[in-house]
Amino acid sequence: MNQSDLKPFFPAGGVVNEDISISDVKSTHRDDVLVGQAILPLSESVQKIVIYKVDLDNGLEDLRAISASCPHQGADISRDELKPDGNVYCSLHRRPICIYSKYNQAYAVIKHDEQYFVAKT
């Protein structure tokens, strides 16, 4: 998916005070999706997260992370595709989760060498 496919483009809505390490990052069956483990804000334990990779118009890659558990009923959304509207639709009940909305807890991700981090905002 390209940035030009998105409607309004928002910065990540999730806010963190310091970089958070993402461990056990692995590829999935989709080239634009990774999974890993991290302690996200509002959580006290390590949880599975999904990292979506979006190719930007300027040739760079934007990385966004969200919990792999749908906030509605906890279904694993790591196999669900990021659509051109910037939403991941939960395969259990089709609830949209927008990684480009200032109202969702989607986090900017940065990569240093081979290590991924939820980026301080």
Side-chain angles (χ1 to χ4, degrees):
M1 184 178 79
N2 292 323
Q3 175 188 5
S4 59
D5 295 332
L6 297 171
K7 304 290 184 215
F9 185 86
F10 292 102
V15 176
V16 297
N17 295 326
E18 60 186 39
D19 290 349
I20 298 170
S21 179
I22 303 171
S23 61
D24 301 322
V25 176
K26 297 178 179 136
S27 300
T28 66
H29 68 286
R30 301 187 47 82
D31 290 336
D32 60 342
V33 178
L34 301 167
V35 293
Q37 305 257 341
I39 300 175
L40 295 177
L42 308 176
S43 173
E44 296 179 7
S45 60
V46 175
Q47 62 182 287
K48 182 178 179 181
I49 64 168
V50 184
I51 303 169
Y52 291 96
K53 300 188 283 184
V54 178
D55 294 326
L56 301 177
D57 291 340
N58 61 7
L60 297 176
E61 183 176 72
D62 187 38
L63 302 170
R64 298 292 172 113
I66 58 174
S67 170
S69 295
C70 173
H72 182 242
Q73 292 181 338
D76 185 349
I77 61 169
S78 64
R79 293 180 179 243
D80 298 329
E81 177 183 4
L82 178 63
K83 300 293 186 180
D85 64 0
N87 288 299
V88 176
Y89 292 88
C90 174
S91 58
L92 179 62
H93 61 302
R94 310 309 303 160
R95 181 191 188 278
I97 303 161
C98 185
I99 69 165
Y100 285 102
S101 170
K102 60 184 176 182
Y103 302 108
N104 286 324
Q105 294 301 308
Y107 300 92
V109 173
I110 54 175
K111 183 179 178 185
H112 292 296
D113 299 319
E114 294 303 311
Q115 177 66 43
Y116 291 86
F117 297 90
V118 173
K120 176 182 175 181
T121 49

